[in-house]
Amino acid sequence: MNSRQPKILITAFLVIIFISCEKSALERTNPFDENGGSAGIGFPAIADGTVEAVYSNGAVFKGEVIAQGAGPVYEKGVCYNFSGNPSLSFMRISAGSGTGKYECVFSGLLPGFTYYLRAYATNEKGTVYGNEVSFTTSY
């Protein structure tokens, strides 16, 4: 067995798992979050995040929580997946709590794959998401 075979098997396994997820099955805490930004009275207000750099196995994402809403933001960060419309039901990188700018560094990504991601912030009213952005890692 050469050293590439385990990597190929792991990659194939991950692709099968994420392709089998149904977008319509995602439940939202906040029914107004589909277009990103501030979802309504009491929810946090966020800016859409941006992907600042992309590598073969990583990337850098920057986001910002503009206002906390009805209560303190107890989690902010970026959620991501392989199929689009990511939410907290999938993978995420937490950037702590509170308002302000933040940065999330991805590592251990698969080369040549497209990742879909959205900024998020959660307070006592629920979670609000930014608009979806995507990037493809290089080989």
Side-chain angles (χ1 to χ4, degrees):
M1 183 185 268
N2 67 37
S3 64
R4 289 189 59 157
Q5 287 176 328
K7 291 178 185 175
I8 292 170
L9 291 173
I10 291 170
T11 302
F13 176 73
L14 290 172
V15 169
I16 290 169
I17 288 174
F18 289 109
I19 289 175
S20 65
C21 295
E22 291 183 36
K23 291 181 186 180
S24 61
L26 298 178
E27 291 186 25
R28 302 281 184 223
T29 331
N30 169 12
F32 305 106
D33 71 345
E34 295 301 319
N35 294 318
S38 180
I41 297 173
F43 288 92
I46 62 173
D48 293 326
T50 59
V51 177
E52 298 290 319
V54 178
Y55 311 101
S56 63
N57 65 345
V60 177
F61 177 87
K62 292 188 178 183
E64 181 178 9
V65 178
I66 300 166
Q68 70 179 7
V73 172
Y74 59 83
E75 186 176 357
K76 63 184 176 185
V78 61
C79 52
Y80 63 103
N81 65 20
F82 292 122
S83 58
N85 198 26
S87 72
L88 296 182
S89 300
F90 292 100
M91 298 171 282
R92 67 178 158 193
I93 298 175
S94 176
S97 59
T99 58
K101 294 181 180 183
Y102 61 92
E103 179 177 282
C104 296
V105 178
F106 290 82
S107 62
L109 300 180
L110 301 171
F113 277 78
T114 299
Y115 291 84
Y116 299 89
L117 46 147
R118 298 197 295 178
Y120 73 89
T122 304
N123 71 4
E124 64 189 33
K125 292 286 277 185
T127 300
V128 64
Y129 297 94
N131 287 329
E132 180 180 284
V133 295
S134 65
F135 66 88
T136 302
T137 52
S138 58
Y139 283 98

